[in-house]
Amino acid sequence: MNYQMTIGIEIHMELNTKTKMFSGAPYHFKKEANTCTNEVDLALPGTLPCVNQMAVKKAIEACAALNLKIDPLVCFDRKNYYYSDLPKGYQITQQFHPIGRDGYLTIKDEGVSKKIRINRIHMEEDTAKQFHLHDETLIDFNRAGVPLIEIVSEPDMHTPREAALYVEKLRQIMTYIGVSDAKMEEGSMRCDINVSLARADSEELGVKVEIKNLNSIANIETALKYEYERQSELYDKGETITQDTRRFDEKSQTTVLMRHKEGSIDYKYFPEPNIFPIALKEDYIKEIIAKMDELPDVKLERYEKKMGLSAYDANTLLSDKELANFFDETMKLCDNAKLACNMLVSEIQGLLSKLGQSLCESKLSPGALAKIVKMVDAGEISSKQAKEVLSAAIDGADPSEFAQKMGLKQNSNEDEILKLVLEVLNENPQSISDFKNGKDRAMGYLVGQVMKKSKGQANPALASRLVKEELAKR
Amino acid sequence: MNIQESKNLGGAAFKNSYEKAQKYNEKLNAIVTFVEDEGCQNQQGLLANVPVAVKDNFSTKGVKTTACSNILANYQPVFDATAIKKLKEAGAKIFAKASMDELAMGGTNLTANIGPCHNPYDLKRISGGSSGGSAVLVASGVTPLALGSDTGDSVRKPAAYCGIVGTKPSYGRISRYGVIPYASSLDHVAYFTGNVYDAALALEVLAGRDDLDMTSSYEPVLNYSQLLDYDFSKLSFGVIDNVIEAMSNQKIKETFLKLIHDLEAKGAKVKHIHFDNDLLKALFPTYFIIANAEASANHSNLDGVRFGVREKGDSMEEIMINSRTKGFSSFIKKRFVVGSYSLFEENQERLFRKAQKVRRLVCESFNESLKDVDVLIAPASGQVAPLIQNEEKQDELTDEYLICENYMVFANFAGLPSITLPMGFVDDLPVGVNLSAKAFDEVTMFRCAKALEDVTGLKDLVKEDF
């Protein structure tokens, strides 16, 4: 039988702030256990929370990027439950007044756009990390108190692919605006997926199953495909689905039961008394949004429509934030977007991969690339010579100094080149008659001779034009 | 001994207090931990060399801080509470961590895990609580200044029972950072002194914005001790008539009415205010719901995992359950149950949220009444310090109990500055009067208190022969 799948996704994203959500302790992912904590994170008695302004700012940016309405009154609540990874015995979150409501993002699948609505975004703090060993439990409190936003979608997705596209799009947007590293493998972006199946002709949704432990976008698709198979088989057999929490199992590439959901837990939410509601001024919110980094979709449009790049080139740039930023910096200093893009996505990438370096590891600066683009544009060096200069610039050389030192100059002086052309024509009467007899190849030979005479410095386009003109005269 | 006299003793003041405290403690049972002399940080400070006792819920770096609860019996903070830092920066020296009701949840000091604290005026009587240890250390002349915390009336009530001055400034006036909480929205750092001038001086040291406490205020801190001059004809007192009406102890009532008469005779304006009696009767249940709800969450960090006394268990969950089961007295657990109950989803609207609404009504009503008068005034208690053995027998549903013994919590609801000072003696036991002013108008509160102190002539009362 055919079933309609309905998918809603909750995403926890760590905000990449310098300090924690409610304490001044620093946070870095790879630090030694329990070195990024202070008395607030450990919930020592008498400590109080202090809202991280940068986290609020980033949450506002996230809301703006996803078209949510921002609540100008920032309020926090306590979510009460006991667990050894939760130092205070409650989590400070935004239950009653999330920072943002009612937004959306647009996914594109083979040219077809679809809006996925976002119910809410709220701020909260992360828990500590537990390591269960054979007979003891170790707790690393570095993660305790790290700022999170939770992004809750509406159940608007109906295929595993849509779910994957949604998560990928979210990841791209958040990394582009610099709100989060959004690395699923490091846990700075974590997805919980709610999925249900219903007969295609049914109006009611099926029983909701939650899937956790999805640490890559590929796994999201795999897990959902598996769930479709598993649940539709059960339905086909006339069995019922129970409201379970399952986790994705990397080894078997399936989902396995974690626990049955028994009546929901009462978290006894109530307003956090240690933080008075904070009223954000309209201007403050506007300023944050005005200063936000460009959204990827806007960037794409700019590349294609304003700069005239091909869709392929624009998407290639966009696929890597570092590359796109480098390109944007370069374009502040030169004009020829196509040339700069070509150099970046083909030549430079090729050179770098030979060296085993990434763009930010190399010594190439946007300034140097812009210089090379301008030199080529101005006809000072040929595009062949440009490759040599690029290679040197990747090692940190200054393009114009290098070109000068190596004599990599293009001669575009018409009088000088004409002199060479006339010399070559006079020396090769046979080629001239070949050309007159219809042998086009003779033309190429003659231009080659001009290049040779100029020691490779003649502007090939100019040389070619002059040869043509002179041939016509004879 | 007041603050100036103590300062005059210089370096000897600490030893003087420390030794007196050791001698008296056998009878008073007021001290949990004695603190050795750490030296004076600031010889020019407002409190240079002044020995100070602090309630055992103030975090003191490297010094045991138990809040008189077994679960914290071994807890040594790694940081100083902001109030402690400020005391030290002003040159004060902490010599004792004072007894209190377990986790500050009580009004008798009988629930301290080290046993009851005794009233120096009659050792068979309670000190009052929850800041009982701090109160009796000032009352017995051991120290001129002791810190407490006031969530319902935990400084202002023991001050009355012990014949001293108890000051609770506005909410946000003194940072709460590092004070083991009871109920965050009601908790205030408060303190005991022998007289009103010292109370004003202490606030200059303790008050001010602290970035570690988001609820602390940016209001400028004034030189309160230099702003005590008053003119009787410009002072107006609003008597809370409901308290007088509910009171059965005629001697206390007479003492109070005579005081009011004397104030009027000096030219002060007196206005009688009658609040909605039902609103006043609702104060205690409202307080009980809000305070215990917040407390049940505030103390969820006491689980034996990261600090405090850890019991054994086969899993983290079991360790937490065992530590909490053993670590709290049944009295505390009862309060956690009440607090959790009022927060359950099915009860929250009917209990916790309703209590918040009543709290708002109370705030509106009292703030409104303060538009017409400088301060509200009433006896701090309808009784003298109760006998330790009788304490449990009070009927909690009478108007007298609900109003006379609990009305002062309105100042916690609305965050108003409030001060208790002695107004006389009844049966050789001190009785107190309480004043409350508009939020952040400590200046007016202290002025009225000074006028009152001048009328009674009762200050720096010390009871050492017990």
Side-chain angles (χ1 to χ4, degrees), chain B residues 4 13-14 118 127 136 153 171 247 265 294 299 411 420 463 465:
Chain B
Q4 188 55 50
F14 185 91
H118 300 272
S127 56
V136 306
D153 54 22
Y171 189 81
M247 195 176 288
E294 289 183 15
H299 292 130
T420 291
K463 177 70 176 166
D465 49 332

Side-chain angles (χ1 to χ4, degrees), chain A residues 39-51 78 80 82-84 86-90 96 130 132 137 139 141 265-266 268-276 278, chain B residues 59 72 75 78-79 171 176-181 184-185 211-215 293-294 296-298 300-302 305-307 316 320 324 340 343-346 348 352-353:
Chain A
E39 69 253 31
V40 179
D41 305 322
L42 294 174
L44 296 187
T47 54
L48 297 169
C50 219
V51 178
R78 289 186 184 178
N80 297 285
Y82 290 99
Y83 203 65
S84 43
L86 186 69
K88 289 191 289 294
Y90 58 83
F96 302 118
Q130 297 204 111
H132 298 289
T137 298
I139 311 179
F141 289 96
I265 306 160
D266 186 347
K268 297 180 287 176
Y269 289 102
F270 73 95
E272 167 59 62
N274 288 317
I275 304 170
F276 292 151
I278 303 162
Chain B
S59 297
L72 289 172
Y75 173 58
V78 292
F79 66 104
Y171 189 81
R176 292 180 290 118
Y177 192 79
V179 183
I180 300 179
S184 312
S185 76
D211 285 339
L212 296 176
D213 175 1
M214 284 190 87
T215 65
E294 289 183 15
S296 69
N298 280 341
S300 297
N301 63 338
L302 306 179
V305 175
R306 299 164 311 285
F307 56 85
M316 292 305 286
M320 291 164 77
R324 288 177 67 83
S340 294
L343 286 174
F344 284 141
E345 217 179 306
E346 67 268 30
Q348 198 171 116
F352 183 72
R353 282 185 211 148

Side-chain angles (χ1 to χ4, degrees), chain A residues 6-22:
Chain A
T6 300
I7 305 161
I9 302 183
E10 288 168 21
I11 289 180
H12 284 90
M13 211 171 255
E14 280 180 1
L15 301 175
N16 54 0
T17 52
K18 289 196 178 91
T19 58
K20 298 204 178 167
M21 187 68 223
F22 299 109

Side-chain angles (χ1 to χ4, degrees), chain A residues 191-217:
Chain A
C191 299
D192 296 336
I193 298 194
N194 287 309
V195 55
S196 66
L197 250 61
R199 289 168 59 141
D201 56 2
S202 161
E203 289 196 357
E204 275 176 36
L205 292 179
V207 176
K208 203 159 70 177
V209 170
E210 188 178 359
I211 313 172
K212 288 183 176 286
N213 195 38
L214 294 156
N215 56 8
S216 77
I217 289 172

Side-chain angles (χ1 to χ4, degrees), chain A residues 161-317:
Chain A
R161 172 142 180 87
E162 282 182 358
L165 285 170
Y166 169 79
V167 176
E168 173 55 32
K169 187 81 205 175
L170 245 165
R171 197 194 61 78
Q172 188 196 43
I173 292 173
M174 292 305 157
T175 49
Y176 258 91
I177 60 172
V179 157
S180 173
D181 302 335
K183 291 182 180 161
M184 291 185 81
E185 66 282 9
E186 286 183 5
S188 58
M189 173 166 159
R190 307 193 279 274
C191 299
D192 296 336
I193 298 194
N194 287 309
V195 55
S196 66
L197 250 61
R199 289 168 59 141
D201 56 2
S202 161
E203 289 196 357
E204 275 176 36
L205 292 179
V207 176
K208 203 159 70 177
V209 170
E210 188 178 359
I211 313 172
K212 288 183 176 286
N213 195 38
L214 294 156
N215 56 8
S216 77
I217 289 172
N219 285 351
I220 290 174
E221 222 171 324
T222 311
L224 284 169
K225 280 180 185 159
Y226 175 80
E227 268 306 294
Y228 183 88
E229 295 303 322
R230 185 185 76 85
Q231 294 189 27
S232 55
E233 257 175 50
L234 285 172
Y235 277 129
D236 283 346
K237 280 191 240 161
E239 289 176 28
T240 50
I241 304 276
T242 47
Q243 205 188 337
D244 296 334
T245 300
R246 305 177 69 84
R247 71 178 170 79
F248 182 69
D249 184 63
E250 192 92 48
K251 263 189 212 153
S252 64
Q253 297 283 298
T254 63
T255 67
V256 293
L257 181 68
M258 269 174 91
R259 57 175 180 264
H260 290 296
K261 269 218 164 138
E262 300 150 19
S264 58
I265 306 160
D266 186 347
Y267 290 113
K268 297 180 287 176
Y269 289 102
F270 73 95
E272 167 59 62
N274 288 317
I275 304 170
F276 292 151
I278 303 162
L280 300 177
K281 292 204 178 81
E282 207 185 317
D283 290 351
Y284 177 78
I285 297 173
K286 273 189 186 158
E287 200 189 323
I288 289 172
I289 294 172
K291 285 186 181 161
M292 263 171 72
D293 285 348
E294 192 176 32
L295 289 170
D297 283 354
V298 178
K299 208 183 268 280
L300 188 71
E301 198 177 304
R302 183 165 59 87
Y303 287 172
E304 288 187 65
K305 301 219 168 119
K306 275 200 181 159
M307 292 183 162
L309 298 183
S310 69
Y312 176 81
D313 280 347
N315 276 304
T316 308
L317 285 174

